[in-house]
Amino acid sequence: MKDKIVSLADKLIRIKGFNAFSYKDIADPLAVKNAAVHYHFPSKADLGIAVVKEEMDRFQHNVQRWQELPEDEQLAHLFDVFRRHCYAGNVCLMGSLAPDYETLTPPMQDKINDMAEAIVEWVTAVLENGRNNKRFHFKGSAGDRALLVISNLQSSLLLARVMGPETFDRISRQLLEDLRS
């Protein structure tokens, strides 16, 4: 039951935003009482932290799977994760939580910060290694470029909601092409 609650909360956060859903929005589709959700997650912040932790576990698992690949393929796999979210009608978790950030508890803010830092660090390392191995070509620091890549991926999911998923494909294709040339 706990996994189903986290999974549904993840989907609701990505579609509606953290502050726009209630435990009732989780309990009703799972055909349980609100108390069952509260049993596993006494506060909504506890649930939010569990969702962020689950996302980070998936990210770390993927990073381990991709680590032996050339850097441009590693980045392409990250783009594919975003693409799957795009075609599912989701935005990325960090992008969905950011508008509500100031209303979240400090422990939840800390988890989101940890997630952001881990993703930026990984993309930075992939870009720097890719540049050293002549797979990527860009001006400036790898850390600054990583911020551009992540912000482009996040915003492309939002724009795709308005203009259609092919918008994501166009943006991600151009982004990767620009790094390779």
Side-chain angles (χ1 to χ4, degrees), residues 1-2 5 23 26-27 30-42:
M1 176 59 66
K2 193 172 186 177
I5 293 169
Y23 274 19
I26 293 173
L30 296 178
V32 298
K33 294 185 186 284
N34 282 1
V37 180
H38 278 283
Y39 172 79
H40 293 288
F41 301 100

Side-chain angles (χ1 to χ4, degrees), residues 122-134:
W122 180 80
V123 173
T124 298
V126 168
L127 290 172
E128 189 62 46
N129 292 335
R131 180 163 54 184
N132 291 340
N133 291 324
K134 309 291 188 234

Side-chain angles (χ1 to χ4, degrees), residues 5-25:
I5 293 169
V6 171
S7 179
L8 184 52
D10 181 278
K11 182 91 173 146
L12 290 168
I13 291 169
R14 291 173 193 269
I15 292 172
K16 298 173 90 173
F18 186 75
N19 290 332
F21 79 91
S22 68
Y23 274 19
K24 181 174 175 21
D25 295 316

